[in-house]
Amino acid sequence: MPELPEVEVTKQGIEPFIQGKAVTGVIIHDGRLRWPIPKNLEKILLGQKVSQIKRRGKYLLFRMDDGHLIIHLGMTGVLRLLKPSDELKKHDRIEIFFGKQVLRLHDPRKFGAVLWASDESGEIEKHPLIAKLGVEPFSDDFSDACAGQHLHLHAKGRQIAIKQWLLAGQAVVGVGNIYCSESLFSAGIHPEMPAGKLTLPRAKKLASAIKETLSKAIKAGGSSLKDFVNSHGDPGHFMLQTKVYDRAALPCRICKTPIKQIVQGQRSTYFCQKCQKR
DNA sequence: AGCTCAACCTGGCTGC
DNA sequence: TGCAGCCAGGTTGAGC
């Protein structure tokens, strides 16, 4: 479920309600996520206040008194703020209490992560999981003025298919599997083109396609995802109509050519052979 | 350094 | 209805 837009919407939905609140308890129901949830997390977090929530790529960074609580939703994670009396669901992995509210991570596939990074261990930007991430798509580092050049420079010399290169997130973060296919379609770029062949004009086009795709999705998430606060319904999978993703053999919305599905780096890619050029 | 690929884990869907 | 097989929004880490 979570690509960057969902993570951003989660952040925006939760932050106003727990900002300034102190942790009053932690219950780990099943800590066997991507990495084990630290067993002493309750001891660490108890009494610490959340001053803000930042998002870096698909990571949520809760700024606490003595460090950062890092949460990643993986493939299937959902984070919601509920009442402690609300019924616990199967696959709820951890609860973090803030007085009369509780933050619950629901994650069937356990690809998510809940970690602690103390201030003593260094700046959060230098944390091993954060340090090598590409630039944020909505930051000054990816402004309309420089985003094209940024992509162009990063892609230089790379032989890897542009789809896999973009998905890897080393140039720009947050372009997951769905929005990767969508952005390449919007930019008219064939997913199998070697990244190094990206010209500056096409890089500029790709950069604006990425930003537009993601911002539309954030808006859609903001309006169609139920709130993350006191919401019992499963938000499920809310995408606006996609242009190519999950549309194998269906007609291209522009030229009617059947959409092709291929596998690249163990992930599905969807594209239009006529609209997208190498 | 760049690239490929297995692995982590559960559930839902398809087809026999 | 049951069961095997395949697929799924992410990311690391091993190995070449």
Side-chain angles (χ1 to χ4, degrees):
Chain A
M1 116 89 70
E3 290 207 27
L4 182 142
E6 286 84 353
V7 179
E8 178 63 26
V9 170
T10 298
K11 187 205 109 149
Q12 291 173 8
I14 287 170
E15 187 174 35
F17 296 91
I18 60 168
Q19 203 159 34
K21 300 267 177 71
V23 174
T24 54
V26 174
I27 299 177
I28 300 170
H29 296 287
D30 188 346
R32 294 170 300 171
L33 302 187
R34 160 129 224 187
W35 297 282
I37 298 177
K39 288 206 181 82
N40 58 347
L41 193 63
E42 171 160 38
K43 208 171 184 180
I44 293 168
L45 290 182
L46 215 55
Q48 293 207 48
K49 281 184 187 154
V50 181
S51 55
Q52 70 165 329
I53 308 178
K54 292 177 280 186
R55 181 190 54 70
R56 187 70 181 89
K58 294 164 197 163
Y59 289 92
L60 289 171
L61 308 173
F62 293 67
R63 174 72 252 197
M64 312 297 292
D65 297 338
D66 301 338
H68 288 88
L69 176 70
I70 303 174
I71 297 185
H72 195 290
L73 303 180
M75 289 272 239
T76 52
V78 178
L79 203 54
R80 269 203 224 86
L81 204 51
L82 301 161
K83 282 179 254 163
S85 58
D86 288 332
E87 197 181 344
L88 208 60
K89 296 202 299 189
K90 191 180 180 185
H91 305 314
D92 281 345
R93 306 302 182 189
I94 184 171
E95 301 185 273
I96 302 174
F97 295 86
F98 297 91
K100 291 178 179 172
Q101 288 181 302
V102 59
L103 194 61
R104 283 186 188 155
L105 174 65
H106 179 84
D107 183 15
R109 282 178 76 180
K110 300 186 185 176
F111 288 169
V114 177
L115 298 168
W116 173 249
S118 72
D119 287 339
E120 283 174 21
S121 60
E123 294 171 46
I124 190 68
E125 290 79 13
K126 292 183 182 157
H127 188 280
L129 294 173
I130 308 293
K132 45 185 193 282
L133 298 178
V135 300
E136 282 295 324
F138 298 112
S139 68
D140 290 345
D141 294 334
F142 205 68
S143 69
D144 292 341
C146 69
Q149 286 178 342
H150 175 81
L151 290 183
H152 184 240
L153 189 69
H154 265 265
K156 204 176 165 187
R158 302 294 301 270
Q159 297 298 309
I160 194 172
I162 193 159
K163 153 77 188 319
Q164 289 169 263
W165 169 77
L166 189 56
L167 189 58
Q170 290 165 336
V172 58
V173 291
V175 188
N177 202 40
I178 296 174
Y179 300 125
C180 198
S181 281
E182 296 292 292
S183 301
L184 287 171
F185 175 82
S186 292
I189 297 170
H190 194 293
E192 290 180 304
M193 183 184 85
K197 279 188 65 185
L198 187 66
T199 61
L200 182 56
R202 299 185 90 191
K204 288 182 179 171
K205 206 168 174 188
L206 178 58
S208 47
I210 290 167
K211 286 203 268 190
E212 200 187 326
T213 303
L214 292 179
S215 56
K216 270 188 188 167
I218 291 172
K219 270 188 200 159
S223 57
S224 68
L225 284 179
K226 295 167 192 133
D227 34 7
F228 286 87
V229 179
N230 299 323
S231 163
H232 300 265
D234 189 345
H237 191 180
F238 289 94
M239 264 185 306
L240 283 192
Q241 175 177 272
T242 61
K243 294 181 168 132
V244 288
Y245 184 82
D246 205 22
R247 286 180 47 77
L250 293 173
C252 168
R253 297 192 195 277
I254 304 290
C255 76
K256 312 293 182 209
T257 302
I259 296 300
K260 205 170 171 194
Q261 176 181 9
I262 58 173
V263 174
Q264 294 179 286
Q266 313 163 261
R267 311 295 302 277
S268 280
T269 302
Y270 301 83
F271 69 104
C272 171
Q273 285 176 285
K274 196 172 165 193
C275 295
Q276 296 174 252
K277 311 283 188 199
R278 287 173 193 265

